Amino acid sequence: MIEPRQPLYQWGQRMRAVIDLINDGSYPDMPADALLAASGTVGEIVQVGTHVDSGTPIYLVEFADHRVIGCLEEEIAPA
């Protein structure tokens, strides 16, 4: 079993997308390859979890349009 890595960011922190966040097919009610949040879009972390298999932190970020997107640390940065 892989030990979970400690998250760099915490619940409630304001973040911005550092890349365009594109639907990989897992976001409901949106076509695959749809733009979910453009680079620079600001949001807030509403939950921090861990990917079970890799131990990688996953951040649920709610962006301005009330869209909650699962993000990796390399996809977001403090706003």
Side-chain angles (χ1 to χ4, degrees):
M1 175 186 262
I2 296 175
E3 282 295 313
R5 201 163 37 91
Q6 285 297 106
L8 293 177
Y9 310 122
Q10 301 303 317
W11 176 88
Q13 221 175 330
R14 289 185 50 79
M15 306 300 288
R16 66 177 173 77
V18 296
I19 61 169
D20 287 341
L21 299 175
I22 307 295
N23 188 9
D24 62 3
S26 63
Y27 197 90
D29 302 326
M30 294 290 290
D33 298 326
L35 178 65
L36 299 175
S39 178
T41 304
V42 175
E44 182 177 312
I45 296 175
V46 295
Q47 187 171 352
V48 179
T50 303
H51 186 273
V52 176
D53 292 333
S54 68
T56 304
I58 304 290
Y59 303 90
L60 291 183
V61 181
E62 183 175 359
F63 289 94
D65 58 0
H66 303 290
R67 188 171 290 158
V68 178
I69 302 171
C71 299
L72 300 171
E73 287 173 350
E74 57 267 16
E75 298 173 324
I76 54 177

